[in-house]
Amino acid sequence: MANIKQLSEINERLVGGHRLCGGCGASVAVRQILMGAGPDTEVVVAVATGCLEVSTTALPFTSWDCSFIHNAFENAAATITGVEAAYKALKATGKIAKDKEIKFIAFGGDGGTYDIGLQALSGALERGHDFVYVCYDNGAYMNTGIQRSSATPSHSWATTSEVGAVIPGKPERRKDLTSIVAAHHIPFAAQASVGNWKNLVEVSEKAFNTPGPAFLNVLAPCPRGWRYTSEKTVEISKLAFRTKFWPIFEIENGKWSMKEIREKDLLPIEEFLKTQGRFAHLFKPENEHLIAGIQAEVDEYYDYVKSMCAK
């Protein structure tokens, strides 16, 4: 990986002037991930309908300084793999020079990836296309009003999992999408975070340089949906890692490896939860017992990832 000075000299492919919120984790993720493609590589980007698309392509303007395709909410993976297949066909017929290199990448939020885009993603992975798919995971359908998704954490507030006397937020546990993708036996998958830029650029570089499908699931906090002030995005991302809420790991050709938390850095889950208004109800006396359940969930998942790495 290039050093930070060299990375800072790469021309931005997502440039300023977009309408994304201050502190948006998605914009941070996209900029860091596209650095992993290197300075000279031509990139084709597809983006599913969502915050990232509507806020960067307000007609007649665009913030994308690269080839860009907008597609429907559910079919980013199908779109980008169709373009990749066309590129191979044009090379085979001599209409594109055989030494011309183009990288293909799709971005989708958790609504368009965990939920309604999962079928298209699964099919693209199974077919073995040479592309990178990135889920910027902000834990809800943020673009359409902060409705819960299957990535929304248990007992979190969302507009379709309101907090009340009977149900204290979303009752269901969040889906483990990274493991679902790994079960497709693709060459490379990783779970990363905007709170660790070095790791995110490194795994992005690996993803771009992997022949065949690669997948990145990136924690991208949302100030509006998570209810925190915009300057705390990176701080909250770091807490997600230190409290086991968001383990950082990768699966390369079936081999799992993870970034383990040093004992001195380990924190209880309360330290992550208390930074966000979506969990404020958990600190009321009648709901405090739910925090122990969330702690048990994150401990169990962290131990599961460690066990996979030990195999």
Side-chain angles (χ1 to χ4, degrees):
M1 188 192 81
N3 62 41
I4 192 168
K5 183 176 186 300
Q6 292 169 319
L7 291 173
S8 69
E9 293 169 353
I10 294 176
N11 289 332
E12 296 279 3
R13 295 175 172 98
L14 176 64
V15 300
H18 54 69
R19 276 75 163 175
L20 287 161
C21 299
C24 173
S27 59
V28 180
V30 170
R31 292 178 65 205
Q32 293 178 356
I33 288 163
L34 292 178
M35 286 178 182
D40 303 317
T41 306
E42 188 172 340
V43 176
V44 176
V45 174
V47 177
T49 299
C51 291
L52 181 61
E53 178 269 321
V54 300
S55 299
T56 59
T57 57
L59 192 71
F61 305 105
T62 179
S63 292
W64 296 92
D65 191 15
C66 61
S67 297
F68 175 87
I69 306 169
H70 165 229
N71 42 258
F73 211 154
E74 71 279 4
N75 66 341
T79 299
I80 199 65
T81 55
V83 178
E84 182 260 2
Y87 162 74
K88 286 182 175 177
L90 290 169
K91 267 193 167 184
T93 57
K95 294 178 180 178
I96 291 179
K98 292 193 182 296
D99 61 351
K100 184 176 180 64
E101 183 182 15
I102 302 176
K103 298 292 186 182
F104 301 91
I105 182 168
F107 292 96
D110 50 275
T113 309
Y114 280 72
D115 295 341
I116 61 176
L118 185 59
Q119 178 178 331
L121 175 59
S122 179
L125 299 176
E126 185 272 332
R127 292 191 301 272
H129 292 275
D130 189 2
F131 77 113
V132 179
Y133 189 100
V134 177
C135 175
Y136 61 95
D137 186 338
N138 52 31
Y141 289 79
M142 299 304 182
N143 177 53
T144 53
I146 321 176
Q147 297 91 348
R148 58 86 83 197
S149 76
S150 60
T152 304
S154 58
H155 305 303
S156 171
W157 166 88
T159 55
T160 50
S161 56
E162 286 283 2
V163 174
V166 177
I167 300 175
K170 177 181 174 242
E172 301 87 4
R173 188 168 177 169
R174 66 188 307 276
K175 185 186 291 182
D176 179 12
L177 179 63
T178 311
S179 291
I180 292 170
V181 169
H184 288 73
H185 305 290
I186 64 172
F188 186 76
Q191 191 161 288
S193 164
V194 300
N196 190 319
W197 69 266
K198 186 173 185 294
N199 172 263
L200 181 51
V201 175
E202 284 176 346
V203 296
S204 301
E205 191 173 29
K206 283 185 181 181
F208 279 115
N209 291 326
T210 295
F215 172 81
L216 302 176
N217 196 9
V218 183
L219 185 69
C222 171
R224 287 197 69 246
W226 293 19
R227 294 181 166 182
Y228 66 86
T229 52
S230 60
E231 75 278 5
K232 294 182 179 178
T233 294
V234 171
E235 175 189 336
I236 287 173
S237 298
K238 290 179 177 179
L239 284 171
F241 169 69
R242 293 181 62 186
T243 57
K244 302 183 182 178
F245 176 82
W246 191 261
I248 292 176
F249 60 95
E250 57 190 81
I251 306 114
E252 189 168 9
N253 295 315
K255 181 174 174 57
W256 291 56
S257 60
M258 72 184 299
K259 180 179 173 63
E260 291 200 49
I261 308 168
R262 295 179 299 183
E263 194 64 35
K264 66 177 184 177
D265 293 333
L266 183 61
L267 293 170
I269 194 63
E270 289 96 326
E271 296 301 311
F272 174 70
L273 302 177
K274 72 184 182 182
T275 62
Q276 303 150 60
R278 63 177 178 160
F279 294 117
H281 58 285
L282 295 177
F283 294 90
K284 294 180 178 179
E286 64 271 25
N287 290 329
E288 286 183 342
H289 67 283
L290 299 173
I291 296 175
I294 297 171
Q295 183 71 66
E297 278 183 17
V298 300
D299 288 345
E300 179 189 336
Y301 184 62
Y302 189 83
D303 290 343
Y304 156 74
V305 174
K306 279 187 72 172
S307 71
M308 295 300 291
C309 294
K311 286 186 179 179

